[in-house]
Amino acid sequence: MVNSQIVLSVEKISKIYESAESNVHALKNICFQLRKGEMLAIMGTSGSGKSTLLNILGALDQPSSGKIKLNGIDSNDIFDEPRATDYRRENIGFIFQNFNLLKDLSVAENITLPLILQKYNSKEIEQKVNEMIELMGLTKWKNHRPVELSGGQQQRVAIGRAIITTPPIILADELTGNLDFNTSTEVLKVLVDMKKQFTQSILLVTHDPLVATYADRVLFFHDGQIIDEYHCSGTGDIEEIMGKFQNILGKKSV
Ligand SMILES: Nc1ncnc2c1ncn2[C@@H]1O[C@H](COP(=O)(O)OP(=O)(O)OP(=O)(O)O)[C@@H](O)[C@H]1O
Ligand SMILES: [Mg+2]
């Protein structure tokens, strides 16, 4: 359930990439709010600033102007180290298109990493990791390395790793980009279940209207701006989302 509590408030975020030849205005005064337990999808044309936004929200990059409020508190110092690392560790779980698992570690070891970084004791770690592996349906694969798993299984490991410390915000960039239809559906259902169980807020970037139907709300990006919004409350109409997306794709040539 989407809660009325605002977890993240994005206030007039702009990003200009400067270079000797030209400046790219990747984000222009972006404003929106993410509520507790909300799944927010971002769709948009290539180069519209989606990954730039995720990088800023994850404190992997700094905005040129604007601010982020976390639970109502100004969080501008999150962009400076060492605060940025603490902010990421305490608040953000990342899920990537290419899974980004450590290839020499087992499934259990990959899922364990965030708990070690947050200094959980070994008893807590063992219990939490076993629970997560079971939740993700990975018991059989616990001691296997990522290369021995299918794409969907690897993405479930990545989801387990992202949520094991129950960070309030999950950021996902094209999490189904390397998965087929059935596997995408399976991974999305896992994510929605996890969101319900832990009341996390999820912001996911996607090109896929099917993925967006699982969201509570979709923001459409074009040329660094939010140009449309769609409320679907987890049962979005794929035709309607596709229509809006096509409309934005059409603007590409303008
Ligand atoms: N590090 C960078 N230096 C300079 N320009 C950049 C950098 N990263 C992104 N850009 C530019 O900023 C704009 C937004 O890029 P971004 O990667 O955020 O787009 P996107 O919406 O994620 O696109 P895609 O759907 O293709 O992943 C683009 O014009 C891109 O060329
Ligand atoms: Mg991108």
Side-chain angles (χ1 to χ4, degrees):
M1 277 292 285
V2 180
N3 195 296
S4 60
Q5 186 188 331
I6 293 163
V7 177
L8 191 74
S9 183
V10 175
E11 300 185 358
K12 292 188 176 175
I13 290 281
S14 290
K15 175 72 181 180
I16 302 170
Y17 291 109
E18 294 180 11
S19 76
E21 291 119 44
S22 66
N23 291 343
V24 177
H25 213 143
L27 293 173
K28 300 169 183 168
N29 272 324
I30 295 292
C31 298
F32 67 90
Q33 293 170 329
L34 182 66
R35 292 177 189 279
K36 191 171 163 72
E38 182 176 33
M39 189 189 279
L40 179 65
I42 294 185
M43 298 186 82
T45 44
S46 182
S48 59
K50 307 179 297 293
S51 296
T52 300
L53 176 70
L54 280 201
N55 288 340
I56 291 172
L57 299 183
L60 297 167
D61 198 2
Q62 302 216 1
S64 306
S65 60
K67 64 183 175 184
I68 288 173
K69 276 188 185 166
L70 195 68
N71 290 319
I73 298 162
D74 273 10
S75 298
N76 279 350
D77 63 341
I78 63 165
F79 299 113
D80 299 318
E81 293 295 351
R83 179 72 188 104
T85 302
D86 291 340
Y87 163 81
R88 281 194 291 275
R89 206 175 283 166
E90 289 160 14
N91 298 293
I92 309 287
F94 290 99
I95 307 171
F96 303 92
Q97 176 171 357
N98 55 1
F99 322 129
N100 278 21
L101 299 173
L102 293 178
K103 64 179 174 46
D104 295 326
L105 300 187
S106 68
V107 164
E109 287 164 342
N110 265 286
I111 294 178
T112 301
L113 273 182
L115 297 173
I116 294 175
L117 291 172
Q118 288 213 14
K119 301 191 170 42
Y120 280 72
N121 69 45
S122 51
K123 208 173 159 198
E124 278 175 316
I125 290 179
E126 196 186 339
Q127 190 192 339
K128 275 184 171 292
V129 170
N130 283 336
E131 277 172 13
M132 186 55 73
I133 285 176
E134 206 181 316
L135 257 176
M136 293 292 149
L138 292 164
T139 308
K140 213 175 127 191
W141 304 99
K142 185 178 173 183
N143 298 315
H144 288 249
R145 290 190 307 139
V147 71
E148 299 169 281
L149 272 59
S150 71
Q153 289 164 336
Q154 289 189 56
Q155 197 56 301
R156 279 188 273 141
V157 177
I159 293 173
R161 182 184 58 181
I163 65 177
I164 187 114
T165 56
T166 53
I169 302 163
I170 303 287
L171 301 177
D173 203 350
E174 297 291 355
L175 88 158
T176 59
N178 284 336
L179 306 177
D180 62 29
F181 175 84
N182 288 337
T183 318
S184 298
T185 308
E186 170 208 321
V187 163
L188 285 163
K189 283 186 176 156
V190 168
L191 198 64
V192 169
D193 280 354
M194 294 302 110
K195 180 189 82 123
K196 279 190 193 142
Q197 192 159 332
F198 301 114
T199 343
Q200 286 163 311
S201 308
I202 302 175
L203 196 146
L204 52 86
V205 164
T206 184
H207 281 98
D208 186 351
L210 173 80
V211 174
T213 61
Y214 284 80
D216 297 296
R217 191 158 55 108
V218 189
L219 298 179
F220 295 91
F221 271 52
H222 177 65
D223 194 20
Q225 292 171 292
I226 298 171
I227 61 164
D228 205 352
E229 184 174 355
Y230 177 71
H231 288 261
C232 37
S233 310
T235 51
D237 182 324
I238 195 160
E239 300 292 330
E240 229 170 313
I241 293 172
M242 271 169 76
K244 282 184 182 284
F245 193 35
Q246 290 300 333
N247 197 15
I248 287 158
L249 289 174
K251 291 188 198 294
K252 209 174 169 181
S253 54
V254 175

